[in-house]
Amino acid sequence: MNVGVIDIGSNTIRLNIYTYEKGELKLLFGKKNTAGLVSYIQDNTLSYKGILKLIRVLKSLSKIINNVKHEKIIVFATASLRNIKNTQEVLSYVKEMLDIDIEILDQKDEARLGFNGILESIDIDHGFTVDIGGGSTEIIRFENKKIVEMFNLGHGSLSLYDQYVKGIFPTDDEIKDIQKAVKKELKDAGVNGNTEVIVGIGGTIRAIGNVSQELYGMKDSAHFNTIDADNLYTSLLAQDAAAIKMVLQVKPERIHTLIPGMTIFNQLSKSLDAKKVIVSETGLREGIVFEKLRNEGLL
């Protein structure tokens, strides 16, 4: 059985096509479009140009899905469409133009499904997970592989950049403003605890691992120490030429949002006294596939 998933994020829109066989979900194909929907939002409203951009990307991805035999298509959005005032208008446009129904995940469901997706690939009993997205951040404390607490932040890497940074890289004053905002959000959300390991999903976490691996000669981008992440963060804040060059080589699309995203991770890891990070290969997209298939009796 093949399943197509379109994930509409604040920064990127991703298409994954999976095959499910003998209890295992395997990725057949993936495509990413850096649509940057958040840049089309003014006064908490997605502009008409932004709606047209969304429709163009969805039309292109739909053509790809239709060329592959599939039994189900899941299209969902997170903070990209959840946090705007004209959500229903956007959904109506997409339905009228493409006959596509978009499911809007609330932040709790986003966190829960991301956690469930993590458990599909990582065997860990307790700790914290973090999903730093473009428009929001979801944090979970879990014990015995069960969610104990959820902490939700209203900002992600791209929304912090969009709100606080005027150029490509934040100035010293802009960095201080971002750090202050993140500290306040973590405090207001009640994030607390202590953990050796943080399990991460999302583009920021993957970028930290990828860039650190190349910069520091690590064997594996999916496992890194918070010390390495702190060193990378410090280098980027200082606009170190080697660090910036490596980001441009490894994750050029993240050059403007990596520092804001890393600020969230830096503040979180310090508050939890975390020492190690595991980057999960699976997350929200896999979590929603399994839940949909189970609910429809297809597993």
Side-chain angles (χ1 to χ4, degrees):
M1 172 170 50
N2 294 338
V3 182
V5 179
I6 296 178
D7 174 0
I8 303 168
S10 298
N11 189 30
T12 60
I13 300 177
R14 291 176 177 267
L15 163 65
N16 280 2
I17 298 177
Y18 300 94
T19 184
Y20 181 79
E21 293 180 0
K22 299 178 181 180
E24 187 175 359
L25 192 68
K26 293 182 179 179
L27 179 64
L28 291 179
F29 173 83
K31 183 175 178 59
K32 178 176 72 172
N33 187 299
T34 306
L37 291 183
V38 73
S39 65
Y40 294 94
I41 296 175
Q42 297 179 342
D43 298 324
N44 289 326
T45 300
L46 184 64
S47 68
Y48 184 62
K49 285 185 178 181
I51 296 173
L52 292 181
K53 179 67 174 287
L54 172 61
I55 289 173
R56 285 197 301 271
V57 174
L58 290 179
K59 184 176 181 179
S60 174
L61 297 180
S62 296
K63 287 181 180 179
I64 295 174
I65 293 178
N66 291 333
N67 285 327
V68 179
K69 181 181 178 182
H70 61 274
E71 284 70 35
K72 187 172 184 60
I73 299 176
I74 301 167
V75 183
F76 71 91
T78 51
S80 57
L81 302 185
R82 180 178 65 221
N83 294 341
I84 59 175
K85 293 188 294 187
N86 61 331
T87 300
Q88 290 305 315
E89 177 188 5
V90 175
L91 298 184
S92 296
Y93 265 113
V94 172
K95 178 66 173 177
E96 179 181 351
M97 299 295 293
L98 302 176
D99 195 28
I100 291 176
D101 293 307
I102 300 174
E103 179 178 359
I104 306 295
L105 298 182
D106 65 33
Q107 203 164 7
K108 287 185 178 180
D109 281 339
E110 183 180 357
R112 177 180 58 81
L113 292 169
F115 175 74
N116 291 344
I118 286 172
L119 294 183
E120 295 296 333
S121 63
I122 294 180
D123 185 17
I124 185 170
D125 290 327
H126 62 275
F128 280 75
T129 68
V130 62
D131 179 0
I132 303 173
S136 66
T137 299
E138 289 72 46
I139 302 163
I140 284 177
R141 181 169 72 87
F142 64 99
E143 296 177 3
N144 298 317
K145 299 183 179 180
K146 302 291 184 182
I147 296 174
V148 177
E149 287 183 281
M150 293 184 183
F151 311 97
N152 297 322
L153 309 185
H155 272 113
S157 60
L158 189 58
S159 61
L160 282 173
Y161 171 81
D162 194 55
Q163 181 170 341
Y164 292 101
V165 184
K166 293 182 179 179
I168 299 297
F169 296 103
T171 64
D172 289 344
D173 287 341
E174 289 169 344
I175 289 167
K176 290 177 183 178
D177 288 341
I178 293 171
Q179 290 172 337
K180 182 179 178 181
V182 172
K183 285 181 181 179
K184 184 178 186 304
E185 283 208 57
L186 288 170
K187 181 179 179 181
D188 290 348
V191 178
N192 64 87
N194 188 279
T195 186
E196 177 77 9
V197 179
I198 294 175
V199 181
I201 56 177
T204 292
I205 296 294
R206 288 192 298 271
I208 295 172
N210 292 145
V211 175
S212 295
Q213 180 184 27
E214 296 297 325
L215 199 59
Y216 305 126
M218 299 179 340
K219 294 182 179 179
D220 183 3
S221 66
H223 299 81
F224 58 88
N225 297 321
T226 53
I227 291 176
D228 291 326
D230 289 344
N231 288 338
L232 175 59
Y233 182 56
T234 300
S235 296
L236 290 174
L237 290 182
Q239 296 191 23
D240 176 76
I244 292 173
K245 182 178 180 180
M246 191 57 66
V247 175
L248 288 171
Q249 289 177 346
V250 177
K251 289 287 182 180
E253 73 277 10
R254 295 270 166 188
I255 191 64
H256 61 307
T257 62
L258 191 53
I259 289 177
M262 288 192 73
T263 300
I264 297 173
F265 177 77
N266 176 264
Q267 297 292 337
L268 176 65
S269 63
K270 283 183 177 180
S271 68
L272 300 178
D273 197 27
K275 301 296 188 294
K276 299 177 182 179
V277 183
I278 300 173
V279 183
S280 177
E281 295 180 357
T282 55
L284 176 57
R285 289 179 286 277
E286 291 77 12
I288 196 170
V289 169
F290 274 107
E291 177 158 291
K292 293 291 186 184
L293 295 183
R294 288 191 185 104
N295 289 345
E296 296 178 19
L298 298 176
L299 296 188

